[in-house]
Amino acid sequence: MLLGFAAWTVILLLFTVGVYRWSRILTGRAELTEFRADQVEGEDWYKRAMRAHANCIENLPVFGAIVFAIYVSGSSGKLIDGLCITVLVARIIQSLIHVSLEASNAVIFTRFTFFITQLICFLWLVVLVAVHGNVSV
């Protein structure tokens, strides 16, 4: 699932930010220097895509550390597998909502629901490793 999370981060970058930037550069509507890191400009979906990608980047190391702890502790089992799968599925859905839908109370609440799902899974995994390290759960 960690590899899936990393792959999703790259796919999201390529097919949103990458397509937007390169389509503008290759059609002569923008120069390479127009895409500054300190000033995000562009269509609303592009701005949301930038933020969704940043969200993935922010959470990937956290998930990576948890998966590393699971590996080192020798923990395994259906519960751990299920929680890791849930993290990836929730991350993909959260990203798709972020990129696809303009912000409204309902959209933000839905997006947050998938984010909090990931956080709950993160904490649950941490507790499982801390309490049951090297035990199949």
Side-chain angles (χ1 to χ4, degrees), residues 84-116:
C84 289
I85 290 167
T86 301
V87 166
L88 180 57
V89 170
R91 168 53 56 188
I92 290 170
I93 294 170
Q94 178 192 357
S95 299
L96 291 173
I97 290 169
H98 203 158
V99 173
S100 302
L101 303 173
E102 291 185 27
S104 69
N105 285 336
V107 168
I108 292 169
F109 176 79
T110 305
R111 200 173 73 214
F112 179 74
T113 299
F114 287 101
F115 175 67
I116 198 75

mmCIF file of all heavy atoms in Angstrom, residues 84-116:
data_model
loop_
_atom_site.group_PDB
_atom_site.id
_atom_site.type_symbol
_atom_site.label_atom_id
_atom_site.label_comp_id
_atom_site.label_asym_id
_atom_site.label_seq_id
_atom_site.Cartn_x
_atom_site.Cartn_y
_atom_site.Cartn_z
ATOM 1 N N CYS A 84 -4.332 -0.511 6.026
ATOM 2 C CA CYS A 84 -3.461 0.064 4.989
ATOM 3 C C CYS A 84 -4.217 0.245 3.674
ATOM 4 O O CYS A 84 -4.042 1.265 2.993
ATOM 5 C CB CYS A 84 -2.229 -0.813 4.797
ATOM 6 S SG CYS A 84 -1.057 -0.733 6.173
ATOM 7 N N ILE A 85 -5.044 -0.708 3.317
ATOM 8 C CA ILE A 85 -5.870 -0.584 2.112
ATOM 9 C C ILE A 85 -6.819 0.595 2.258
ATOM 10 O O ILE A 85 -6.998 1.388 1.327
ATOM 11 C CB ILE A 85 -6.640 -1.894 1.838
ATOM 12 C CG1 ILE A 85 -5.657 -2.985 1.395
ATOM 13 C CG2 ILE A 85 -7.738 -1.688 0.796
ATOM 14 C CD1 ILE A 85 -6.253 -4.386 1.391
ATOM 15 N N THR A 86 -7.409 0.740 3.423
ATOM 16 C CA THR A 86 -8.332 1.849 3.680
ATOM 17 C C THR A 86 -7.621 3.188 3.529
ATOM 18 O O THR A 86 -8.192 4.138 2.978
ATOM 19 C CB THR A 86 -8.960 1.719 5.082
ATOM 20 O OG1 THR A 86 -9.656 0.465 5.146
ATOM 21 C CG2 THR A 86 -9.927 2.855 5.374
ATOM 22 N N VAL A 87 -6.385 3.274 4.008
ATOM 23 C CA VAL A 87 -5.614 4.517 3.864
ATOM 24 C C VAL A 87 -5.486 4.880 2.393
ATOM 25 O O VAL A 87 -5.760 6.023 1.992
ATOM 26 C CB VAL A 87 -4.206 4.392 4.504
ATOM 27 C CG1 VAL A 87 -3.298 5.528 4.061
ATOM 28 C CG2 VAL A 87 -4.309 4.359 6.022
ATOM 29 N N LEU A 88 -5.089 3.936 1.568
ATOM 30 C CA LEU A 88 -4.880 4.227 0.150
ATOM 31 C C LEU A 88 -6.192 4.582 -0.554
ATOM 32 O O LEU A 88 -6.246 5.564 -1.295
ATOM 33 C CB LEU A 88 -4.206 3.045 -0.551
ATOM 34 C CG LEU A 88 -3.942 3.227 -2.041
ATOM 35 C CD1 LEU A 88 -3.078 4.461 -2.304
ATOM 36 C CD2 LEU A 88 -3.305 1.979 -2.623
ATOM 37 N N VAL A 89 -7.228 3.829 -0.301
ATOM 38 C CA VAL A 89 -8.514 4.109 -0.945
ATOM 39 C C VAL A 89 -9.037 5.479 -0.520
ATOM 40 O O VAL A 89 -9.491 6.273 -1.354
ATOM 41 C CB VAL A 89 -9.542 3.000 -0.626
ATOM 42 C CG1 VAL A 89 -10.946 3.387 -1.069
ATOM 43 C CG2 VAL A 89 -9.119 1.685 -1.286
ATOM 44 N N ALA A 90 -8.955 5.785 0.766
ATOM 45 C CA ALA A 90 -9.415 7.089 1.257
ATOM 46 C C ALA A 90 -8.590 8.222 0.666
ATOM 47 O O ALA A 90 -9.120 9.285 0.327
ATOM 48 C CB ALA A 90 -9.361 7.126 2.786
ATOM 49 N N ARG A 91 -7.280 8.026 0.503
ATOM 50 C CA ARG A 91 -6.415 9.050 -0.078
ATOM 51 C C ARG A 91 -6.790 9.303 -1.535
ATOM 52 O O ARG A 91 -6.880 10.444 -1.970
ATOM 53 C CB ARG A 91 -4.944 8.610 0.019
ATOM 54 C CG ARG A 91 -3.955 9.424 -0.780
ATOM 55 C CD ARG A 91 -4.011 10.908 -0.536
ATOM 56 N NE ARG A 91 -3.847 11.250 0.847
ATOM 57 C CZ ARG A 91 -4.008 12.490 1.340
ATOM 58 N NH1 ARG A 91 -4.303 13.491 0.551
ATOM 59 N NH2 ARG A 91 -3.878 12.729 2.619
ATOM 60 N N ILE A 92 -7.032 8.246 -2.293
ATOM 61 C CA ILE A 92 -7.396 8.406 -3.700
ATOM 62 C C ILE A 92 -8.726 9.139 -3.825
ATOM 63 O O ILE A 92 -8.849 10.091 -4.605
ATOM 64 C CB ILE A 92 -7.434 7.042 -4.413
ATOM 65 C CG1 ILE A 92 -6.009 6.489 -4.546
ATOM 66 C CG2 ILE A 92 -8.106 7.147 -5.778
ATOM 67 C CD1 ILE A 92 -5.930 5.044 -5.017
ATOM 68 N N ILE A 93 -9.703 8.741 -3.039
ATOM 69 C CA ILE A 93 -11.015 9.399 -3.100
ATOM 70 C C ILE A 93 -10.905 10.854 -2.672
ATOM 71 O O ILE A 93 -11.479 11.745 -3.305
ATOM 72 C CB ILE A 93 -12.051 8.631 -2.254
ATOM 73 C CG1 ILE A 93 -12.304 7.252 -2.867
ATOM 74 C CG2 ILE A 93 -13.360 9.426 -2.147
ATOM 75 C CD1 ILE A 93 -13.126 6.323 -1.998
ATOM 76 N N GLN A 94 -10.161 11.118 -1.594
ATOM 77 C CA GLN A 94 -9.979 12.497 -1.144
ATOM 78 C C GLN A 94 -9.361 13.348 -2.249
ATOM 79 O O GLN A 94 -9.814 14.463 -2.520
ATOM 80 C CB GLN A 94 -9.104 12.550 0.102
ATOM 81 C CG GLN A 94 -8.859 13.968 0.584
ATOM 82 C CD GLN A 94 -7.782 14.071 1.636
ATOM 83 O OE1 GLN A 94 -7.226 13.065 2.078
ATOM 84 N NE2 GLN A 94 -7.468 15.280 2.056
ATOM 85 N N SER A 95 -8.337 12.834 -2.904
ATOM 86 C CA SER A 95 -7.674 13.576 -3.979
ATOM 87 C C SER A 95 -8.612 13.833 -5.155
ATOM 88 O O SER A 95 -8.637 14.933 -5.711
ATOM 89 C CB SER A 95 -6.453 12.795 -4.485
ATOM 90 O OG SER A 95 -5.513 12.609 -3.482
ATOM 91 N N LEU A 96 -9.360 12.814 -5.550
ATOM 92 C CA LEU A 96 -10.277 12.969 -6.679
ATOM 93 C C LEU A 96 -11.357 14.008 -6.386
ATOM 94 O O LEU A 96 -11.702 14.821 -7.251
ATOM 95 C CB LEU A 96 -10.907 11.620 -7.036
ATOM 96 C CG LEU A 96 -9.947 10.596 -7.649
ATOM 97 C CD1 LEU A 96 -10.649 9.244 -7.803
ATOM 98 C CD2 LEU A 96 -9.399 11.091 -8.975
ATOM 99 N N ILE A 97 -11.869 13.993 -5.169
ATOM 100 C CA ILE A 97 -12.861 15.001 -4.770
ATOM 101 C C ILE A 97 -12.222 16.382 -4.791
ATOM 102 O O ILE A 97 -12.809 17.342 -5.304
ATOM 103 C CB ILE A 97 -13.437 14.684 -3.376
ATOM 104 C CG1 ILE A 97 -14.315 13.438 -3.435
ATOM 105 C CG2 ILE A 97 -14.239 15.874 -2.830
ATOM 106 C CD1 ILE A 97 -14.720 12.901 -2.074
ATOM 107 N N HIS A 98 -11.023 16.486 -4.264
ATOM 108 C CA HIS A 98 -10.325 17.772 -4.191
ATOM 109 C C HIS A 98 -10.139 18.386 -5.584
ATOM 110 O O HIS A 98 -10.396 19.568 -5.799
ATOM 111 C CB HIS A 98 -8.978 17.581 -3.516
ATOM 112 C CG HIS A 98 -8.417 18.806 -2.897
ATOM 113 N ND1 HIS A 98 -7.486 18.765 -1.908
ATOM 114 C CD2 HIS A 98 -8.639 20.120 -3.112
ATOM 115 C CE1 HIS A 98 -7.167 20.003 -1.534
ATOM 116 N NE2 HIS A 98 -7.848 20.835 -2.264
ATOM 117 N N VAL A 99 -9.700 17.565 -6.534
ATOM 118 C CA VAL A 99 -9.429 18.055 -7.878
ATOM 119 C C VAL A 99 -10.718 18.296 -8.665
ATOM 120 O O VAL A 99 -10.840 19.283 -9.389
ATOM 121 C CB VAL A 99 -8.518 17.069 -8.649
ATOM 122 C CG1 VAL A 99 -8.358 17.486 -10.099
ATOM 123 C CG2 VAL A 99 -7.154 16.971 -7.970
ATOM 124 N N SER A 100 -11.692 17.430 -8.499
ATOM 125 C CA SER A 100 -12.874 17.427 -9.360
ATOM 126 C C SER A 100 -13.968 18.410 -8.968
ATOM 127 O O SER A 100 -14.719 18.861 -9.837
ATOM 128 C CB SER A 100 -13.492 16.027 -9.382
ATOM 129 O OG SER A 100 -12.553 15.090 -9.829
ATOM 130 N N LEU A 101 -14.091 18.712 -7.708
ATOM 131 C CA LEU A 101 -15.240 19.490 -7.236
ATOM 132 C C LEU A 101 -14.821 20.807 -6.601
ATOM 133 O O LEU A 101 -13.881 20.848 -5.811
ATOM 134 C CB LEU A 101 -16.044 18.667 -6.226
ATOM 135 C CG LEU A 101 -16.557 17.312 -6.728
ATOM 136 C CD1 LEU A 101 -17.178 16.532 -5.590
ATOM 137 C CD2 LEU A 101 -17.554 17.496 -7.862
ATOM 138 N N GLU A 102 -15.532 21.849 -6.951
ATOM 139 C CA GLU A 102 -15.285 23.155 -6.332
ATOM 140 C C GLU A 102 -15.693 23.108 -4.868
ATOM 141 O O GLU A 102 -16.621 22.401 -4.483
ATOM 142 C CB GLU A 102 -16.084 24.234 -7.067
ATOM 143 C CG GLU A 102 -15.570 24.506 -8.461
ATOM 144 C CD GLU A 102 -16.296 25.662 -9.141
ATOM 145 O OE1 GLU A 102 -16.794 26.554 -8.432
ATOM 146 O OE2 GLU A 102 -16.339 25.653 -10.373
ATOM 147 N N ALA A 103 -15.009 23.902 -4.070
ATOM 148 C CA ALA A 103 -15.256 23.899 -2.633
ATOM 149 C C ALA A 103 -16.647 24.389 -2.297
ATOM 150 O O ALA A 103 -17.121 25.397 -2.811
ATOM 151 C CB ALA A 103 -14.215 24.760 -1.922
ATOM 152 N N SER A 104 -17.304 23.645 -1.459
ATOM 153 C CA SER A 104 -18.567 24.016 -0.826
ATOM 154 C C SER A 104 -18.535 23.332 0.534
ATOM 155 O O SER A 104 -17.666 22.490 0.785
ATOM 156 C CB SER A 104 -19.767 23.529 -1.645
ATOM 157 O OG SER A 104 -19.859 22.111 -1.596
ATOM 158 N N ASN A 105 -19.462 23.660 1.394
ATOM 159 C CA ASN A 105 -19.473 23.006 2.704
ATOM 160 C C ASN A 105 -19.580 21.492 2.574
ATOM 161 O O ASN A 105 -18.872 20.749 3.255
ATOM 162 C CB ASN A 105 -20.611 23.546 3.569
ATOM 163 C CG ASN A 105 -20.311 24.928 4.100
ATOM 164 O OD1 ASN A 105 -19.152 25.326 4.221
ATOM 165 N ND2 ASN A 105 -21.349 25.681 4.399
ATOM 166 N N ALA A 106 -20.437 21.026 1.673
ATOM 167 C CA ALA A 106 -20.630 19.584 1.491
ATOM 168 C C ALA A 106 -19.369 18.924 0.934
ATOM 169 O O ALA A 106 -18.968 17.844 1.387
ATOM 170 C CB ALA A 106 -21.819 19.321 0.575
ATOM 171 N N VAL A 107 -18.743 19.559 -0.035
ATOM 172 C CA VAL A 107 -17.534 18.995 -0.642
ATOM 173 C C VAL A 107 -16.400 18.957 0.374
ATOM 174 O O VAL A 107 -15.704 17.942 0.505
ATOM 175 C CB VAL A 107 -17.125 19.791 -1.901
ATOM 176 C CG1 VAL A 107 -15.731 19.416 -2.371
ATOM 177 C CG2 VAL A 107 -18.147 19.598 -3.010
ATOM 178 N N ILE A 108 -16.214 20.037 1.099
ATOM 179 C CA ILE A 108 -15.138 20.084 2.095
ATOM 180 C C ILE A 108 -15.387 19.070 3.202
ATOM 181 O O ILE A 108 -14.466 18.385 3.652
ATOM 182 C CB ILE A 108 -14.975 21.515 2.656
ATOM 183 C CG1 ILE A 108 -14.441 22.427 1.543
ATOM 184 C CG2 ILE A 108 -14.051 21.529 3.869
ATOM 185 C CD1 ILE A 108 -14.473 23.900 1.881
ATOM 186 N N PHE A 109 -16.633 18.938 3.636
ATOM 187 C CA PHE A 109 -16.962 17.942 4.665
ATOM 188 C C PHE A 109 -16.666 16.529 4.167
ATOM 189 O O PHE A 109 -16.086 15.715 4.892
ATOM 190 C CB PHE A 109 -18.435 18.052 5.083
ATOM 191 C CG PHE A 109 -18.842 17.000 6.067
ATOM 192 C CD1 PHE A 109 -18.517 17.131 7.409
ATOM 193 C CD2 PHE A 109 -19.527 15.864 5.649
ATOM 194 C CE1 PHE A 109 -18.862 16.151 8.322
ATOM 195 C CE2 PHE A 109 -19.878 14.879 6.559
ATOM 196 C CZ PHE A 109 -19.552 15.018 7.902
ATOM 197 N N THR A 110 -17.041 16.242 2.935
ATOM 198 C CA THR A 110 -16.796 14.914 2.365
ATOM 199 C C THR A 110 -15.307 14.643 2.240
ATOM 200 O O THR A 110 -14.819 13.570 2.615
ATOM 201 C CB THR A 110 -17.487 14.782 0.995
ATOM 202 O OG1 THR A 110 -18.880 15.073 1.142
ATOM 203 C CG2 THR A 110 -17.318 13.393 0.421
ATOM 204 N N ARG A 111 -14.589 15.621 1.727
ATOM 205 C CA ARG A 111 -13.137 15.495 1.603
ATOM 206 C C ARG A 111 -12.496 15.282 2.972
ATOM 207 O O ARG A 111 -11.628 14.428 3.140
ATOM 208 C CB ARG A 111 -12.588 16.755 0.934
ATOM 209 C CG ARG A 111 -11.244 16.592 0.313
ATOM 210 C CD ARG A 111 -10.857 17.821 -0.474
ATOM 211 N NE ARG A 111 -10.529 18.918 0.411
ATOM 212 C CZ ARG A 111 -10.762 20.200 0.159
ATOM 213 N NH1 ARG A 111 -11.339 20.569 -0.966
ATOM 214 N NH2 ARG A 111 -10.422 21.125 1.021
ATOM 215 N N PHE A 112 -12.948 16.037 3.963
ATOM 216 C CA PHE A 112 -12.413 15.910 5.320
ATOM 217 C C PHE A 112 -12.725 14.532 5.901
ATOM 218 O O PHE A 112 -11.909 13.966 6.624
ATOM 219 C CB PHE A 112 -12.972 17.007 6.231
ATOM 220 C CG PHE A 112 -12.476 16.903 7.644
ATOM 221 C CD1 PHE A 112 -11.177 17.269 7.956
ATOM 222 C CD2 PHE A 112 -13.299 16.415 8.643
ATOM 223 C CE1 PHE A 112 -10.707 17.149 9.265
ATOM 224 C CE2 PHE A 112 -12.835 16.296 9.947
ATOM 225 C CZ PHE A 112 -11.543 16.668 10.259
ATOM 226 N N THR A 113 -13.890 13.994 5.587
ATOM 227 C CA THR A 113 -14.255 12.662 6.067
ATOM 228 C C THR A 113 -13.243 11.620 5.597
ATOM 229 O O THR A 113 -12.815 10.758 6.373
ATOM 230 C CB THR A 113 -15.672 12.293 5.591
ATOM 231 O OG1 THR A 113 -16.599 13.244 6.122
ATOM 232 C CG2 THR A 113 -16.065 10.896 6.033
ATOM 233 N N PHE A 114 -12.826 11.719 4.342
ATOM 234 C CA PHE A 114 -11.825 10.781 3.839
ATOM 235 C C PHE A 114 -10.450 11.050 4.436
ATOM 236 O O PHE A 114 -9.668 10.124 4.645
ATOM 237 C CB PHE A 114 -11.798 10.788 2.305
ATOM 238 C CG PHE A 114 -13.000 10.097 1.731
ATOM 239 C CD1 PHE A 114 -14.066 10.827 1.238
ATOM 240 C CD2 PHE A 114 -13.077 8.715 1.716
ATOM 241 C CE1 PHE A 114 -15.189 10.199 0.724
ATOM 242 C CE2 PHE A 114 -14.194 8.068 1.205
ATOM 243 C CZ PHE A 114 -15.255 8.808 0.705
ATOM 244 N N PHE A 115 -10.152 12.308 4.745
ATOM 245 C CA PHE A 115 -8.891 12.636 5.401
ATOM 246 C C PHE A 115 -8.871 12.100 6.829
ATOM 247 O O PHE A 115 -7.895 11.477 7.255
ATOM 248 C CB PHE A 115 -8.664 14.155 5.395
ATOM 249 C CG PHE A 115 -7.436 14.568 6.153
ATOM 250 C CD1 PHE A 115 -6.174 14.230 5.706
ATOM 251 C CD2 PHE A 115 -7.543 15.285 7.340
ATOM 252 C CE1 PHE A 115 -5.029 14.600 6.410
ATOM 253 C CE2 PHE A 115 -6.422 15.658 8.052
ATOM 254 C CZ PHE A 115 -5.160 15.320 7.581
ATOM 255 N N ILE A 116 -9.934 12.313 7.572
ATOM 256 C CA ILE A 116 -9.970 11.850 8.964
ATOM 257 C C ILE A 116 -9.961 10.330 9.019
ATOM 258 O O ILE A 116 -9.404 9.738 9.952
ATOM 259 C CB ILE A 116 -11.159 12.470 9.755
ATOM 260 C CG1 ILE A 116 -10.928 12.350 11.267
ATOM 261 C CG2 ILE A 116 -12.463 11.827 9.387
ATOM 262 C CD1 ILE A 116 -9.931 13.299 11.803
#
